[in-house]
Amino acid sequence: MDTTEAIPAIDLQKPEFYINRDASLLEFNKRVLAQARNEHMPLLERLNYLCISCSNLDEFYEVRVASVIQMAAIDPKVTGSDGLTPNDQLELISIKAHELVAEQYQVLNEILIPKLREQNIKFIRRKDWNEAQLKWLQTYFNEEVLPILTPVGLDSAHPFPRILNKSLNFIISLTGKDAFGRNSGRAILQAPRALPRIVQLPAEETHSGPHDFVFLSSIIHAFLDQLFNGMNIKGCYQFRVTRNSDFFVDDDAIDDLLLAVEGELAMRNYGDEVRLEIDANCPDETVAFLLARFEMTKQNLFLVDGPVNLNRLQEMIRMVDRPDLKFVPFKQSTPAQFARNKDMFAAIRRQDILLHHPFESFSPVVEFLRQAAASPEVLAIKQTLYRTGADSPIVNALIKAARAGKEVTVVIELRARFDEKANIDLASKLQEAAVHVVYGVVGYKTHAKMCLVLRREGKELINYVHLGTGNYHPKTTELYTDYGLFTCDKELGEDVRRVFAQLTSLGKVTKLNKLLQSPFTLHSGILEKIEREIDFAKKRKPAKIVIKVNAVVEEQAIQALYRASQAGVEVKLIVRGICTLRPGIPRVSENIEVRSIIGRFLEHERVYIFYNDGNQEIYASSADLMNRNMFRRVEVFFPIGNKKLQNRILREIDLYLNDNTQAWILQPDGHYRRIKRTEDQEPVQAQTQLLQEMQG
């Protein structure tokens, strides 16, 4: 008798089976912030983790909280899989975000600043300036700061100014009358973005230490009276406003996507207010005044004990030359296949080649395109670009190829969040070089990472392909973990060619040989593979699923994984950020483990492994288990067919599954517990081990 029949039917849509996605994302930021407390981390890297947690929170409010606020206004009764209404979510976000912010400032003030001082890296307060420092800072203020400051006194002729998103501002309380006899009592001063937020004191001129710094806010506070001649300053307090930075492009009402995105970008700095940060010393009356001006409630008000823009502390990290307080530099390796054979095409013809960044260099991808641009046998190059960075060698190679007379087509995603302006500039640069530029499909972001080079070899036309899990961005490949596959597999090459044809022309969906593609076959294909494991488990055969992604949110996939757990399938999930699946629920998800790795590098690759009765299938992709990746983006899900490469990925994934140094395990209540190894356990740190192995 099949024992699975004895399991009573359980409604897998119950809200209690799902973690709120926003709470899950804030949990991720707590794990990032925990690295700032980690005494095994280099000190300046700990400060960097603090900054990252702050910039993550900025984006969270700019995009996610902004959308929840909009939903609360449009449809306040709608609920998600967790059963929470938008207003319920906003209340939960407020509680957890306030806890996070309080911890950020506690870590800064009570841990990092004292530790930095021990290393002779100091933030000098105004009350501690010596005479030489005061003199130098007075000159600095007069020459570098004062000329570009524009204070605005508030009166009927000078209404409250429109405050730029995330800018540093001051609200100033005044008494007395100005030259025109006005006495409004208040003024607003916005610190121009051109000014550094942290200023290093020159040691010789100011009798300072080698790494003594002063906050711009302290300098402005100290010499503020020069801006208000003859008036008395009662108080000056920092504040910062975060605005809705997502933008809406009506896909049904646009003729030119480029113009539509450009129009929306102009408004990004002045979206609706979603968060207000104010110096904790600010009087209640002034706080109430600012809240009223921004039409905000205390739910999104943060009174902070320190600078209102902690992420700008990263400026100081770059200025301090203390290698002993930073990660040890490493040299990325190059696969032996390319080291032995300088002809990229010959190396790829011999065998599929896998790159694992940042442990292995991105340079082979650049060299692949450079050789394609120079090769007389290459007829055409097709490439997707989502984020690529300024002065990209990838872009330069594409331009050279076009100027050499090759047919070059680039699919640029204009709506890559916060890179829209860079991508518009990139599109113009490519078009000037006669590259065919298209903007993908209206309504669907092109997120797939694909490059195809068509080469004539004898009487044959051969497609050489690179498929990746991360962006064609040389800088992020030094910081993010990602896989990239080189192949000239005939069926895969034809699949990639068909996807490009789909993106650049009009026509019906074409059947693909090996790739799964969203928004067409990817979601259903994943569900089918999960169901296959369920069938094996029901037949009492070994069944296992391992998925490594950035986020797990999509409900149908979660429910399929719940069914898999119920059937006895072993499910291992390695999820960097959001996970709304709740593991460890009796009779629902007891066979599911969810772990998160937070280390030196940002975990970014997406890998899907299905045991398949011993004939394991391994896929890589740029797609997470999210609704947007499954239904609102163009993604590809590509197989790793080479047995040697399969075994390599399995071994590397096993390292992550056995990591007992940087791993966190998701608990049924939605919180994460850091793995603590026992005294008899050897430490396993996946990222460090991979780095050591690939550096030889």
Side-chain angles (χ1 to χ4, degrees):
M1 178 180 170
D2 187 347
T3 56
T4 57
E5 293 178 5
I7 300 174
I10 296 174
D11 180 6
L12 297 179
Q13 295 184 354
K14 285 184 177 180
E16 57 264 37
F17 294 164
Y18 297 87
I19 298 167
N20 176 263
R21 63 172 288 168
D22 300 313
S24 183
L25 187 54
L26 290 169
E27 279 285 323
F28 166 64
N29 268 326
K30 283 179 67 176
R31 298 196 296 281
V32 173
L33 181 59
Q35 295 291 75
R37 293 182 178 273
N38 187 346
E39 294 184 357
H40 298 291
M41 283 284 171
L43 183 56
L44 288 174
E45 302 296 348
R46 292 170 66 180
L47 179 60
N48 191 42
Y49 280 112
L50 169 65
C51 296
I52 291 169
S53 76
C54 295
S55 59
N56 285 350
L57 192 62
D58 283 351
E59 184 173 337
F60 175 67
Y61 267 87
E62 288 177 284
V63 178
R64 181 60 195 166
V65 176
S67 68
V68 178
I69 290 172
Q70 288 177 331
M71 186 55 68
I74 296 167
D75 191 355
K77 293 183 179 179
V78 70
T79 59
S81 57
D82 56 10
L84 298 182
T85 66
N87 284 315
D88 292 336
Q89 292 180 66
L90 291 172
E91 186 176 344
L92 178 65
I93 288 167
S94 179
I95 293 168
K96 288 188 172 293
H98 278 86
E99 290 173 355
L100 178 65
V101 170
E103 187 179 357
Q104 287 171 339
Y105 283 89
Q106 184 258 331
V107 168
L108 175 69
N109 293 321
E110 298 178 22
I111 300 175
L112 295 182
I113 287 179
K115 289 280 186 186
L116 289 165
R117 183 170 285 275
E118 288 174 13
Q119 295 294 331
N120 214 20
I121 301 169
K122 293 174 279 188
F123 298 103
I124 311 297
R125 295 173 177 270
R126 277 179 291 158
K127 63 182 180 64
D128 297 325
W129 293 349
N130 62 38
E131 285 188 26
Q133 289 168 341
L134 180 64
K135 181 181 178 182
W136 186 88
L137 286 165
Q138 174 74 75
T139 302
Y140 178 85
F141 178 81
N142 290 339
E143 295 179 357
E144 302 291 335
V145 180
L146 182 61
I148 55 175
L149 292 181
T150 308
V152 177
L154 302 181
D155 61 22
S156 57
H158 301 86
F160 197 92
R162 189 73 163 150
I163 301 297
L164 275 171
N165 182 38
K166 296 187 296 184
S167 59
L168 172 63
N169 303 275
F170 302 86
I171 184 163
I172 302 148
S173 300
L174 303 162
T175 58
K177 294 184 178 181
D178 69 3
F180 296 93
R182 297 172 300 182
N183 180 13
S184 70
R186 287 195 178 98
I188 299 293
L189 177 64
Q190 184 168 291
R193 289 188 164 173
L195 292 173
R197 292 326 190 228
I198 298 174
V199 176
Q200 185 167 11
L201 294 168
E204 291 183 5
E205 294 179 52
T206 62
H207 309 304
S208 301
H211 300 114
D212 283 0
F213 298 90
V214 175
F215 288 110
L216 175 67
S217 54
S218 294
I219 299 171
I220 289 175
H221 273 251
F223 306 112
L224 194 64
D225 55 350
Q226 293 179 224
L227 293 167
F228 300 97
N229 236 350
M231 303 185 77
N232 296 317
I233 297 171
K234 289 169 55 182
C236 175
Y237 310 98
Q238 299 176 56
F239 72 93
R240 188 171 81 135
V241 176
T242 308
R243 297 185 177 278
N244 180 349
S245 294
D246 214 3
F247 60 72
F248 173 72
V249 175
D250 187 347
D251 297 329
D252 296 324
I254 57 173
D255 296 316
D256 189 324
L257 185 59
L258 179 65
L259 289 176
V261 171
E262 284 181 320
E264 283 293 318
L265 273 177
M267 297 304 296
R268 167 165 280 172
N269 282 327
Y270 298 106
D272 291 340
E273 301 89 348
V274 293
R275 179 179 58 164
L276 177 60
E277 298 163 274
I278 308 177
D279 182 347
N281 295 316
C282 189
D284 292 344
E285 177 195 2
T286 305
V287 170
F289 172 79
L290 287 171
L291 281 172
R293 283 293 175 181
F294 293 117
E295 298 181 348
M296 296 180 72
T297 66
K298 289 186 177 180
Q299 192 176 56
N300 287 343
L301 167 68
F302 293 80
L303 299 175
V304 300
D305 183 18
V308 295
N309 48 350
L310 289 187
N311 51 323
R312 296 296 289 269
L313 288 169
Q314 284 179 318
E315 295 176 11
M316 184 273 283
I317 298 171
R318 287 188 283 269
M319 288 187 273
V320 175
D321 184 21
R322 286 288 302 274
D324 57 314
L325 301 181
K326 299 179 182 180
F327 286 130
V328 176
F330 67 96
K331 184 179 180 181
Q332 295 175 296
S333 64
T334 301
Q337 298 96 320
F338 292 139
R340 288 194 300 264
N341 197 329
K342 301 300 182 185
D343 182 340
M344 300 284 294
F345 300 105
I348 297 167
R349 271 198 310 275
R350 190 168 291 113
Q351 63 186 325
D352 289 359
I353 298 171
L354 188 72
L355 299 176
H356 195 181
H357 313 302
F359 318 108
E360 291 177 303
S361 173
F362 185 69
S363 60
V365 182
V366 176
E367 184 61 22
F368 176 63
L369 281 162
R370 282 178 179 157
Q371 290 190 20
S375 171
E377 294 80 15
V378 169
L379 306 178
I381 302 172
K382 301 179 190 293
Q383 173 100 41
T384 59
L385 292 177
Y386 192 76
R387 305 184 199 278
T388 188
D391 194 27
S392 166
I394 293 282
V395 174
N396 294 338
L398 292 170
I399 288 172
K400 283 182 182 177
R403 287 176 176 162
K406 303 182 192 310
E407 196 76 9
V408 181
T409 303
V410 177
V411 181
I412 296 180
E413 180 47 67
L414 293 180
R415 290 171 291 181
R417 186 175 291 137
F418 300 116
D419 272 352
E420 298 93 346
K421 177 65 169 64
N423 283 358
I424 288 170
D425 294 342
L426 171 62
S428 300
K429 183 177 180 180
L430 289 168
Q431 285 170 330
E432 287 170 7
V435 172
H436 300 297
V437 175
V438 295
Y439 306 127
V441 183
V442 172
Y444 300 88
K445 281 188 179 181
T446 301
H447 194 248
K449 323 301 181 187
M450 309 182 296
C451 177
L452 180 146
V453 172
L454 179 64
R455 196 167 188 260
R456 183 181 295 283
E457 297 180 0
K459 294 182 179 180
E460 273 192 288
L461 290 177
I462 298 179
N463 287 316
Y464 289 85
V465 169
H466 175 269
L467 295 163
T469 66
N471 295 307
Y472 290 102
H473 194 310
K475 189 62 184 173
T476 58
T477 62
E478 297 174 2
L479 305 170
Y480 297 3
T481 66
D482 273 304
Y483 281 117
L485 175 71
F486 285 110
T487 183
C488 60
D489 178 272
K490 191 170 183 178
E491 289 184 315
L492 268 179
E494 179 59 19
D495 281 356
V496 172
R497 186 198 67 77
R498 289 176 183 177
V499 174
F500 271 113
Q502 219 177 61
L503 291 170
T504 58
S505 64
L506 302 173
K508 296 281 188 182
V509 178
T510 53
K511 184 174 173 57
L512 302 177
N513 300 299
K514 292 184 175 181
L515 291 181
L516 295 178
Q517 181 198 0
S518 67
F520 308 117
T521 57
L522 178 50
H523 182 250
S524 59
I526 290 174
L527 294 185
E528 285 170 11
K529 293 177 189 303
I530 295 173
E531 291 299 333
R532 186 178 61 194
E533 294 302 312
I534 292 172
D535 289 340
F536 287 133
K538 287 179 177 179
K539 294 172 184 173
R540 299 188 178 181
K541 292 184 176 183
K544 185 174 181 179
I545 298 168
V546 180
I547 297 175
K548 183 175 189 293
V549 288
N550 298 335
V552 174
V553 174
E554 202 279 313
E555 291 175 38
Q556 291 182 61
I558 290 174
Q559 288 166 21
L561 292 171
Y562 283 160
R563 290 195 303 275
S565 174
Q566 289 176 326
V569 179
E570 182 185 0
V571 180
K572 301 282 190 182
L573 304 179
I574 307 170
V575 186
R576 184 191 78 208
I578 305 170
C579 182
T580 60
L581 177 150
R582 196 183 292 274
I585 305 171
R587 298 189 301 140
V588 173
S589 56
E590 290 167 302
N591 291 315
I592 302 177
E593 178 192 84
V594 180
R595 61 172 46 214
S596 177
I597 305 291
I598 306 292
R600 174 173 182 172
F601 307 117
L602 184 80
E603 292 297 331
H604 195 253
E605 67 236 358
R606 290 82 159 189
V607 177
Y608 296 75
I609 301 169
F610 304 93
Y611 188 74
N612 191 27
D613 197 22
N615 184 26
Q616 295 192 83
E617 289 185 348
I618 301 177
Y619 287 84
S621 181
S622 55
D624 291 305
L625 275 178
M626 300 183 76
N627 299 68
R628 69 187 187 192
N629 299 95
M630 299 294 114
F631 307 116
R632 299 194 302 276
R633 288 185 171 184
V634 177
E635 304 272 18
V636 293
F637 195 73
F638 55 94
I640 307 297
N642 179 286
K643 195 67 179 175
K644 185 177 179 182
L645 298 186
Q646 284 187 348
N647 290 335
R648 174 185 167 183
I649 289 177
L650 289 171
R651 192 188 65 79
E652 290 173 354
I653 292 295
D654 273 344
L655 272 178
Y656 284 104
L657 291 173
N658 290 293
D659 191 306
N660 56 19
T661 306
Q662 296 180 320
W664 301 70
I665 301 294
L666 177 58
Q667 305 301 299
D669 65 0
H671 291 93
Y672 284 76
R673 175 180 55 80
R674 190 171 205 150
I675 286 182
K676 292 183 179 178
R677 68 178 186 274
T678 58
E679 289 183 7
D680 61 330
Q681 282 183 314
E682 287 291 320
V684 178
Q685 192 173 106
Q687 291 186 357
T688 301
Q689 192 162 328
L690 287 169
L691 198 57
Q692 290 170 347
E693 286 177 4
M694 295 194 204
Q695 288 189 296

